[in-house]
């Protein structure tokens, strides 16, 4: 099929980042009025909310990633694989790390965020994250290879995992690891005594899932405890060592694997873009989502910060901000004034494990348990990109939750050498 893009005189919109926000902006721009170029460092867009399923052997990495070229082409936009290195706002040009320069009429920055360690000693060196597909595959392969070593080792070796951060990611990972230990571990590695694996979840705030209301937080905590997770709320991590963590009260507890799910910030490289940054390095935007002081440069999604009305760093705000920025570019192209962004809160959800989730709608309605879990599943399938991913995810998750405890359901890989290889 030939590419049917607008003619060469149409304004050129560059979108950096093919996540929720960037692709939503591309969608809003349509394919008739502007020439669109989407740049991402990866060939694929990652569906981060299901990474913990890849990390626990329930989904394949391909289930949660979708080729950017498949979204943008053949008639929508051009896709370039590349890393944004610098922005020349005066000259309306971006430079990629490989030296390529591209001119733009409008630029939408949607590069997301990465882990921040709040200066905790040893955290950067001794923890693994769960932000990328590679992180999830590393976690899965590491956990499985330790199970295999425990299976071969008659010395009753123990395996302690510490998850730092009791937000949705930490809760989802801890709950699913608990189920992995209690069901899949015994089926796949029958020689391993599950009581030799310990899962600890550490949260600095006084409760898990702080953005949720207390009743839902308590439910999540009870459900995690039922899955054998050792929960420490109101507990700080002072230091992370290669095989232990030091808690705020000075106690050192064993931790063979420490997962950092405690906070995010703009990547350090964002500082090279010469644009105003606010808390955690996020790009400061005006109410219409244009970067402060800029007429043609927008920032959306996790990387953007509107100081007066900061949006939560979640998929919905990213989708809505991306859509808004695309619509504002069209308005500017038509000689119209921009309009301010306002976030439409559709609620929040988090899952703890099989048939266990919490859903909080904006106007008071709350659901827990099996109905919440099915709502969570349906919504995640809906927002996944691509029918193939929806089908494989539905099959893999159904298989996981039906076959666990009956000898199947765990996807395995090779033993990795290092988290960052
Ligand atoms: C493990 C995990 C679980 C989550 N679970 C949930 C959930 O259940 N519900 C929810 O609402 N939210 C969840 N979130 C948050 C949600 O995923 C984010 O808020 C959302 O992805 C933000 O979208 P974005 O488009 O701003 O950034 P991203 O989705 O992170 O996309 C950014 C894109 O930019 C690319 N990029 C970055 N820098 C550059 C560069 N310099 N050059 C080129 N490309 C670049 C990246 O490769 C990436 O494709 C979760 C996040 C994580 C990490």
């Amino acid at each position: 099929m030939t590419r049917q893009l607008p003619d060469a005189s149409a304004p050129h919109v560059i979108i950096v980042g093919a996540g929720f926000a960037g692709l939503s902006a591309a969608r809003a721009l349509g394919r008739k009025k502007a020439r669109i170029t989407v740049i991402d460092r990866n060939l694929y867009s990652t569906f981060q909310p299901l990474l913990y399923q890849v990390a626990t052997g329930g989904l394949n990495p391909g289930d949660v990633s979708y080729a950017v070229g498949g979204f943008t082409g053949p008639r929508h936009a051009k896709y370039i694989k590349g890393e944004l290195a610098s922005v020349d706002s005066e000259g309306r040009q971006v430079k990629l790390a490989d030296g390529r320069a591209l001119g733009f009429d409008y630029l939408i920055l949607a590069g997301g965020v990465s882990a921040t360690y709040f200066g905790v000693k040893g955290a950067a060196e001794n923890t693994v994250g769960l932000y990328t597909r590679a992180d999830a595959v590393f976690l899965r392969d590491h956990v499985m290879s330790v199970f295999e070593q425990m299976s071969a080792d008659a010395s009753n070796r123990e395996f302690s995992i510490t998850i730092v951060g009791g937000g949705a990611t930490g809760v989802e990972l801890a709950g699913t690891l608990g189920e992995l230990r209690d069901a899949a571990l015994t089926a796949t590695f029958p020689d391993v005594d599950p009581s030799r694996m310990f899962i600890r979840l550490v949260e600095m705030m006084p409760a898990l899932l702080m953005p949720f209301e207390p009743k839902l937080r308590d439910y999540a905590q009870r459900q995690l405890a039922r899955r054998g997770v050792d929960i420490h709320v109101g507990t700080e991590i002072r230091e992370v060592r290669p095989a232990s963590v030091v808690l705020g009260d000075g106690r050192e507890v064993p931790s063979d694997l420490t997962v950092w799910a405690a906070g995010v910030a703009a990547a350090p490289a964002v500082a090279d873009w010469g644009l105003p940054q606010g808390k955690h390095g996020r790009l400061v935007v005006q109410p219409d989502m244009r970067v402060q002081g800029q007429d043609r440069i927008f920032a959306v999604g996790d990387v953007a910060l509107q100081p007066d009305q900061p949006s939560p760093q979640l998929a919905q705000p990213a989708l809505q901000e991306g859509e808004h920025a695309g619509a504002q570019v069209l308005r500017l192209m038509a000689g119209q004034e921009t309009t301010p962004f306002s976030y439409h809160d559709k609620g929040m959800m988090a899952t703890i494990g099989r048939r266990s989730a919490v859903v909080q709608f904006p106007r008071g309605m709350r659901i827990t348990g099996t109905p919440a879990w099915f709502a969570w599943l349906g919504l995640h399938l809906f927002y996944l990109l691509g029918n193939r991913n929806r089908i494989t995810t539905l099959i893999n998750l159904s298989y996981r939750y039906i076959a666990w405890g009956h000898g199947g359901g765990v996807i395995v890989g090779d033993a990795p050498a290092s988290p960052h290889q």
Side-chain angles (χ1 to χ4, degrees):
M1 201 188 297
T2 52
R3 191 177 285 275
Q4 294 170 17
L5 298 175
D7 64 50
S9 62
H12 185 208
V13 185
I14 293 184
I15 300 171
V16 180
F20 287 106
L23 294 186
S24 171
R27 215 180 275 119
L29 281 161
R31 58 187 164 91
K32 295 203 175 114
K33 296 186 178 142
R35 288 177 297 130
I36 308 169
T37 301
V38 177
I39 300 171
D40 199 289
R41 61 159 71 104
N42 295 318
L43 280 171
Y44 50 83
S45 178
T46 307
F47 191 79
Q48 288 179 331
L50 285 174
L51 280 177
Y52 79 96
Q53 285 287 350
V54 177
T56 52
L59 290 178
N60 278 301
D63 299 341
V64 301
S65 47
Y66 188 80
V68 184
F71 176 89
T72 55
R75 284 186 289 173
H76 191 160
K78 188 177 159 131
Y79 161 63
I80 292 179
K81 180 176 184 297
E83 174 93 24
L84 178 67
S86 65
V87 177
D88 173 2
S89 46
E90 295 281 307
R92 288 200 222 149
Q93 203 179 62
V94 293
K95 262 213 173 126
L96 305 188
D98 62 10
R100 274 180 292 176
L102 289 116
F104 63 82
D105 294 294
Y106 299 95
L107 174 64
I108 301 178
L109 298 167
V113 285
S114 53
T116 185
Y117 302 102
F118 307 113
V120 173
K121 193 172 168 197
E125 300 81 4
N126 299 317
T127 66
V128 294
L130 187 55
Y131 297 99
T132 64
R133 203 171 81 145
D135 288 342
V137 171
F138 170 81
L139 259 170
R140 178 197 71 188
D141 292 349
H142 183 81
V143 169
M144 297 303 163
S145 72
V146 174
F147 285 170
E148 188 280 322
Q149 288 160 23
M150 289 167 83
S151 183
D153 183 352
S155 68
N156 279 353
R157 151 187 187 173
E158 294 183 338
F159 180 31
S160 294
I161 302 178
T162 303
I163 299 159
V164 186
T169 302
V171 166
E172 289 171 353
L173 184 63
T176 311
L177 280 171
E179 292 180 342
L180 185 75
R181 172 191 54 198
D182 297 340
L185 178 59
T186 43
T188 313
F189 300 94
D191 296 329
V192 179
D193 173 3
S195 68
R196 285 193 279 143
M197 176 182 174
F198 302 96
I199 303 154
R200 180 186 303 115
L201 179 61
V202 181
E203 167 58 50
M204 201 169 77
M205 301 299 276
L208 303 175
L209 297 180
M210 276 307 278
F212 289 79
E213 69 169 37
K215 211 173 100 188
L216 301 183
R217 294 181 207 155
D218 293 346
Y219 170 86
Q221 185 150 342
R222 283 198 308 276
Q223 288 289 317
L224 278 183
R226 270 179 56 178
R227 286 164 176 78
V229 177
D230 179 20
I231 302 160
H232 298 254
V233 289
T235 305
E236 209 183 314
I237 294 278
R238 189 186 289 174
E239 184 180 344
V240 185
R241 296 180 180 162
S244 66
V245 291
V246 181
L247 304 178
D249 61 8
R251 262 185 314 143
E252 181 175 1
V253 290
S255 182
D256 302 297
L257 175 68
T258 306
V259 182
W260 193 262
V264 286
V270 173
D272 301 336
W273 300 351
L275 297 169
Q277 291 179 273
K279 198 171 176 200
H280 295 148
R282 293 165 78 187
L283 295 171
V284 179
V285 294
Q286 308 167 55
D288 62 1
M289 300 308 298
R290 276 186 287 189
V291 172
Q292 204 173 59
Q294 296 295 325
D295 289 338
R296 291 169 178 267
I297 303 179
F298 292 77
V300 286
D302 279 1
V303 77
L305 174 71
Q306 214 196 101
D308 300 334
Q309 263 185 314
S311 300
Q313 287 171 293
L314 292 171
Q316 264 306 320
L319 285 165
Q320 293 178 30
E321 289 174 6
E323 186 181 356
H324 186 81
Q328 299 317 298
V329 168
L330 293 179
R331 289 183 72 86
L332 290 171
M333 281 164 51
Q336 296 166 345
E337 297 278 307
T338 58
T339 58
F341 171 74
S342 96
Y343 173 50
H344 172 44
D345 182 4
K346 295 185 176 173
M348 295 182 293
M349 53 174 63
T351 181
I352 299 107
R354 183 173 182 263
R355 294 185 163 218
S356 176
V358 289
V359 179
Q360 179 170 313
F361 290 104
R363 282 197 188 80
M365 192 175 155
R366 287 27 183 153
I367 330 177
T368 56
T370 304
W373 191 71
F374 278 112
W376 167 86
L377 184 62
L379 199 83
H380 282 66
L381 289 175
F382 178 79
Y383 279 110
L384 263 175
L385 283 178
N387 286 331
R388 186 183 62 81
N389 283 3
R390 290 192 186 106
I391 293 166
T392 55
T393 297
L394 181 62
I395 291 172
N396 280 331
L397 286 185
S398 305
Y399 188 72
R400 150 160 271 185
Y401 290 113
I402 292 165
W404 268 24
H406 301 285
V410 182
I411 296 164
V412 293
D414 299 307
S418 114
H420 307 295
Q421 66 183 357

